[in-house]
Amino acid sequence: PLQCDRKRRFRVRKSLGRSRPLQLCSCTHVHQADRDTHSLAEQSYPVPREYFTRVQNHHFKDMEQYKRLYERSIQQPEEFWSDMAKQVLSWKQLWENQVCSYNFDIEKGPIFCEWFKGGKLNACYNCVDRHVEAGYGDQVAYYAEGNEESADIRSYTYRELLDSIERLASALKVRGVKKGDVVAIYMPNIPELAIAMLACARIGAVHSVVFGGFSAESLANRLIDAKSRILITCDGYRRGEKIVALKAVADAAAELARENMGYELVQHKIVYQKLDPKQNFVSMESHMDEWWHEVLSTAKPHCDIEWMDAEDALFVLYTSGSTGRPKGIVHTTGGYLLYAAITHRYAFNYHPGDVYFCTADCGWITGHSYVVYGPLVNRATQVIFEGVPTYPDATRLWKISAKYNVNQLYTAPTLIRSLMRYGEAYVKNSQRDSLTLLATVGEPINPEAWKWFSREVGENRCPIVDTWWQTETGGHMILPPPVQGFIQKPGSAGVPFFGIVPVVVNEKGEELSGECEGYLCIKKPWPGMLRTVLGDHSRMESTYFKPFRGFYMSGDGCKRDKDGYYWLTGRVDDVINVSGHRIGTAEVESALIAHGSVAEAAVVPVPHDIKGQGIYAYVTLRQGEEPSEELRKALKHAVREHIGAICTPDVIHWAPALPKTRSGKIMRRILRKIAELGPKVTPSDLGDTSTLSEPQVVELLVSYHGK
Ligand code: WTA
């Protein structure tokens, strides 16, 4: 059995960064909070019996039936997916003869993957129109819970949703939006964000949602990359006690885009009014800014559907990688929609009538797949939450759950850990009888948080569905199915979903069998996978298919145990996972370097009790610059301005020099170790330092710890 000591973890990282025999530890958990990680991890919990007595509807009778279907999905993928596609989606026209064609081998030709090519459908029609046509127009699609507890509560039925979508879609057309154009959306997590996405889908425009916490510069980069001429935004919103002036940021981004392109890139802004104008004055430029309510009230109430090829793009969503700027991940209409829908249906055992609540923001992939597309295809009734789980206090989520009788709750480990800190009383004070299933995403859930979630929130009667997946995968890939007879293991994401063939490979790209540890790759295509990186297909090929020939490389390390369960061990590239958000170290470094006083910067992850990982930045100043508290603040501010608040470094460590190899490469493993252990670090912790060009740098760096 693996021992969870920090030395071991260090060796793991080292071996991943360099060519050494792989030895991964199964533990990426938050060490300080989790001394008993491994003893807990060895425990296993059957999906609670009470779940089957309390919940009447189940998609699967037992694990035998589930396994048979999994086998079929692997042995006869074309038949399996063809049946699913016909059962779950409404098609204007079925696909031509082939369900799927693909190439995963870069040496044989370009990487590609196509599903249901030639089939015609529309995502908005599948999410909304058909439910209204079938007589469910009065069913609530979204209960919108705003920032304030008692005010700011709204709901949208499927018919109301359709009405707004059609009007907005007509308005977009009038403003020149055509099939294939990329429309940028920069909004808080309100139903209008979903409406904007679906209005694009209705007319075949590709939406590019930018998380409302990103800066003007980040938004501008995305506007420029996708050449978005239309931006749908909002005046501002309240987040806890704070007011976020979103329109001002959107204006600044449009201005940056204009400067960069040399012409007015953004020609229209449609601005949803969320705040009282007395609280947040926004300036509207007459030639390009329009209020959403005015646009909708004057728009044609009906808008024809654009029937799309299954392989036409549905959206682009930017995500961070280890190098360069964020990549625009492109998902297509047929495969993505099907995959989001069936994963939502089976992972959460969702049936119409259940009330489902996902706490994710639509600015991330989880919101795309599990607040918008998946649940709406399944005719779900959901809660969409704009506020923060600790405002006005830490009972907020449980109060919402009681208020709307939420059945399935989907959230993130970081949020669970932050609520754990407030203590059980906040949970106990609320009524959670309606909850039947709990689920998580974003990072490995440490067993301590798993148990707390199960015991305190779920009263030991709810399955805990820990879903592993990525922006690129479109939907869940590995999860513990909430099916009778499945044994859950806290800390493991469980087993592959239908159609998914994960493989664990070693440094050389050789597939390992049985119990093993290595890089997590996927061997066969699945409908929800990314098709390309916007404007740069070779980046898609080199990022995902070059590392190991013939496989999609996830960027995560993992361990597979004797029962075939997967244990994710975290990113193996230069991506930091802060509260479940992917942050590229290169992006933070370039934001720091952009500050005139910085000569060089290196950013590494550091374990963090609540966030999972924190951001630790080493900064070398230019000659003549002196370290100071003001400068530290200014640097943090610079990162916020360049990228957004989620990327703010937790620590800035002044570095007279950085440890480098003779060829000038920064030795990040040494930086990680110093970040993690601080002044207690010993030479033996640092492993092999013989390739350092100036070994004395290490000692100097350690001496600057905490300064
Ligand atoms: C991590 C979020 C372990 C992983 C849907 C992955 C997880 C990255 C889990 C993708 C999980 C997500 N267990 N790790 N259940 N879920 N991750 O693109 O490192 O924002 O590669 O998609 O988050 O993050 P992304």
Side-chain angles (χ1 to χ4, degrees):
L2 288 164
Q3 292 298 309
C4 178
D5 64 332
R6 292 172 176 220
K7 281 208 176 98
R8 175 91 184 198
R9 230 157 76 89
F10 176 50
R11 261 182 260 132
V12 170
R13 297 241 182 261
K14 195 168 85 177
S15 67
L16 286 168
R18 326 172 78 217
S19 317
R20 290 201 163 204
L22 263 184
Q23 275 227 306
L24 292 186
C25 166
S26 68
C27 177
T28 45
H29 311 307
V30 180
H31 290 249
Q32 296 87 326
D34 240 354
R35 303 243 173 261
D36 50 353
T37 290
H38 282 288
S39 56
L40 282 170
E42 277 149 25
Q43 295 175 22
S44 47
Y45 298 77
V47 176
R49 194 180 291 242
E50 224 183 314
Y51 179 59
F52 302 98
T53 52
R54 291 180 77 231
V55 175
Q56 299 310 314
N57 291 328
H58 290 274
H59 291 295
F60 301 98
K61 189 162 69 60
D62 54 22
M63 269 319 278
E64 287 313 307
Q65 191 195 8
Y66 187 90
K67 278 187 195 147
R68 272 200 303 277
L69 196 59
Y70 177 76
E71 280 309 315
R72 178 164 183 253
S73 76
I74 301 305
Q75 307 302 340
Q76 302 160 305
E78 302 236 333
E79 287 83 348
F80 174 85
W81 288 114
S82 167
D83 288 353
M84 282 289 168
K86 289 178 196 160
Q87 198 183 311
V88 173
L89 299 179
S90 302
W91 297 80
K92 181 77 175 165
Q93 181 187 310
L94 286 185
W95 48 96
E96 289 148 11
N97 27 31
Q98 222 170 352
V99 175
C100 172
S101 53
Y102 76 104
N103 173 41
F104 271 17
D105 185 347
I106 203 158
E107 316 233 322
K108 287 202 179 135
I111 299 294
F112 80 99
C113 165
E114 288 174 346
W115 285 87
F116 314 113
K117 179 96 178 145
K120 297 271 182 282
L121 79 167
N122 181 281
C124 174
Y125 178 79
N126 273 278
C127 287
V128 188
D129 295 65
R130 63 173 182 158
H131 303 318
V132 177
E133 284 171 12
Y136 297 106
D138 293 332
Q139 182 188 319
V140 171
Y142 289 112
Y143 290 110
E145 174 89 5
N147 188 59
E148 304 306 321
E149 242 176 336
S150 41
D152 208 6
I153 297 157
R154 301 177 295 149
S155 68
Y156 271 97
T157 63
Y158 274 91
R159 183 174 294 108
E160 288 165 340
L161 208 56
L162 182 59
D163 178 60
S164 298
I165 291 167
E166 288 206 67
R167 285 171 183 274
L168 182 60
S170 316
L172 290 175
K173 269 187 158 173
V174 168
R175 283 155 189 77
V177 178
K178 291 186 299 299
K179 181 179 168 183
D181 289 351
V182 182
V183 172
I185 305 176
Y186 183 61
M187 289 180 106
N189 198 38
I190 54 180
E192 288 72 20
L193 172 44
I195 288 168
M197 291 163 73
L198 293 160
C200 291
R202 186 174 196 84
I203 59 172
V206 176
H207 57 71
S208 163
V209 181
V210 180
F211 172 59
F214 277 125
S215 66
E217 194 176 318
S218 295
L219 173 58
N221 288 338
R222 287 152 173 82
L223 292 170
I224 294 164
D225 190 67
K227 308 280 174 298
S228 297
R229 290 186 313 105
I230 305 240
L231 174 59
I232 305 177
T233 185
C234 176
D235 55 349
Y237 60 99
R238 285 179 166 278
R239 197 164 164 73
E241 309 277 354
K242 281 193 307 214
I243 288 186
V244 183
L246 212 60
K247 170 69 164 55
V249 187
D251 288 344
E255 179 58 23
L256 282 171
R258 191 182 61 77
E259 278 167 22
N260 186 287
M261 304 293 286
Y263 64 90
E264 199 85 76
L265 174 67
V266 177
Q267 293 175 1
H268 294 281
K269 286 190 229 112
I270 299 179
V271 186
Y272 183 77
Q273 191 166 34
K274 184 88 202 12
L275 294 176
D276 180 343
K278 283 194 231 98
Q279 293 171 324
N280 179 47
F281 172 78
V282 299
S283 71
M284 298 287 277
E285 282 178 65
S286 56
H287 70 288
M288 66 159 102
D289 293 352
E290 297 172 276
W291 287 113
W292 167 295
H293 52 270
E294 288 169 7
V295 168
L296 262 65
S297 66
T298 52
K300 278 206 306 210
H302 294 293
C303 175
D304 288 345
I305 287 166
E306 182 81 41
W307 296 105
M308 306 292 282
D309 191 282
E311 277 300 318
D312 282 335
L314 176 62
F315 67 85
V316 55
L317 181 62
Y318 288 81
T319 190
S320 295
S322 31
T323 53
R325 280 203 179 156
K327 298 183 279 281
I329 302 297
V330 176
H331 282 288
T332 54
T333 308
Y336 168 82
L337 198 63
L338 173 64
Y339 200 70
I342 77 157
T343 44
H344 173 261
R345 190 175 291 192
Y346 295 142
F348 306 139
N349 188 30
Y350 189 84
H351 293 83
D354 294 346
V355 179
Y356 157 85
F357 175 23
C358 169
T359 60
D361 188 293
C362 290
W364 308 108
I365 190 68
T366 306
H368 281 59
S369 301
Y370 301 111
V371 178
V372 182
Y373 291 110
L376 293 181
V377 167
N378 293 331
R379 190 162 52 81
T381 295
Q382 328 182 42
V383 179
I384 181 169
F385 179 39
E386 187 197 340
V388 286
T390 47
Y391 178 81
D393 62 38
T395 57
R396 190 71 193 270
L397 284 192
W398 323 126
K399 278 197 194 149
I400 296 175
S401 300
K403 178 161 150 194
Y404 300 102
N405 279 311
V406 171
N407 303 121
Q408 294 96 344
L409 174 70
Y410 190 23
T411 189
T414 184
L415 198 141
I416 298 166
R417 289 194 298 265
S418 77
L419 295 179
M420 278 168 80
R421 203 178 41 168
Y422 287 89
E424 283 75 54
Y426 282 94
V427 186
K428 295 264 177 343
N429 281 342
S430 63
Q431 211 239 66
R432 281 150 291 103
D433 288 354
S434 61
L435 290 174
T436 58
L437 181 144
L438 304 172
T440 66
V441 59
E443 54 175 313
I445 178 163
N446 47 307
E448 187 57 34
W450 192 103
K451 291 202 68 173
W452 187 87
F453 200 29
S454 171
R455 186 183 64 233
E456 303 301 334
V457 180
E459 294 169 336
N460 295 323
R461 54 177 164 72
C462 301
I464 307 288
V465 182
D466 169 8
T467 59
W468 175 80
W469 60 293
Q470 310 176 293
T471 304
E472 294 87 342
T473 70
H476 305 148
M477 300 294 277
I478 295 179
L479 59 95
V483 173
Q484 189 142 33
F486 186 77
I487 309 291
Q488 311 175 119
K489 300 189 191 185
S492 162
V495 296
F497 186 71
F498 298 130
I500 303 305
V501 187
V503 287
V504 183
V505 305
N506 62 15
E507 294 277 345
K508 293 191 217 136
E510 294 159 345
E511 196 176 328
L512 305 172
S513 60
E515 207 175 338
C516 56
E517 306 172 27
Y519 298 94
L520 177 59
C521 294
I522 312 291
K523 194 174 180 175
K524 291 277 161 65
W526 66 101
M529 69 176 278
L530 81 163
R531 299 300 194 262
T532 190
V533 168
L534 189 73
D536 197 351
H537 192 66
S538 67
R539 201 167 166 205
M540 132 92 165
E541 297 181 319
S542 59
T543 309
Y544 306 104
F545 291 91
K546 224 178 193 162
F548 302 116
R549 187 176 168 188
F551 303 129
Y552 164 86
M553 162 59 167
S554 68
D556 281 338
C558 90
K559 172 188 171 231
R560 185 168 56 209
D561 71 14
K562 61 182 188 330
D563 303 318
Y565 284 53
Y566 290 81
W567 300 75
L568 276 301
T569 54
R571 301 288 305 191
V572 294
D573 51 11
D574 290 323
V575 170
I576 307 186
N577 189 329
V578 180
S579 301
H581 299 141
R582 270 161 78 164
I583 293 166
T585 52
E587 279 176 78
V588 183
E589 286 163 7
S590 62
L592 288 166
I593 291 166
H595 193 275
S597 57
V598 176
E600 204 171 15
V603 169
V604 294
V606 63
H608 188 287
D609 271 354
I610 306 288
K611 299 193 276 191
Q613 290 186 325
I615 302 178
Y616 197 104
Y618 292 88
V619 170
T620 307
L621 295 175
R622 280 175 192 259
Q623 242 170 10
E625 296 285 347
E626 285 298 319
S628 69
E629 273 319 297
E630 286 78 68
L631 185 54
R632 200 173 247 143
K633 274 195 203 134
L635 291 178
K636 289 187 178 182
H637 182 73
V639 176
R640 266 199 298 277
E641 287 288 295
H642 278 282
I643 326 176
I646 50 165
C647 299
T648 313
D650 294 273
V651 178
I652 291 193
H653 183 134
W654 304 118
L658 292 169
K660 292 185 185 166
T661 60
R662 276 177 216 114
S663 59
K665 214 169 160 305
I666 296 173
M667 290 181 80
R668 287 171 187 275
R669 62 178 178 84
I670 291 184
L671 294 177
R672 281 176 183 239
K673 208 63 201 173
I674 298 174
E676 191 179 332
L677 298 182
K680 291 188 300 240
V681 73
T682 62
S684 68
D685 293 320
L686 298 176
D688 180 11
T689 52
S690 61
T691 53
L692 273 176
S693 66
E694 295 173 76
Q696 69 280 17
V697 164
V698 172
E699 217 169 294
L700 193 60
L701 258 189
V702 174
S703 75
Y704 268 79
H705 202 282
K707 284 201 183 143

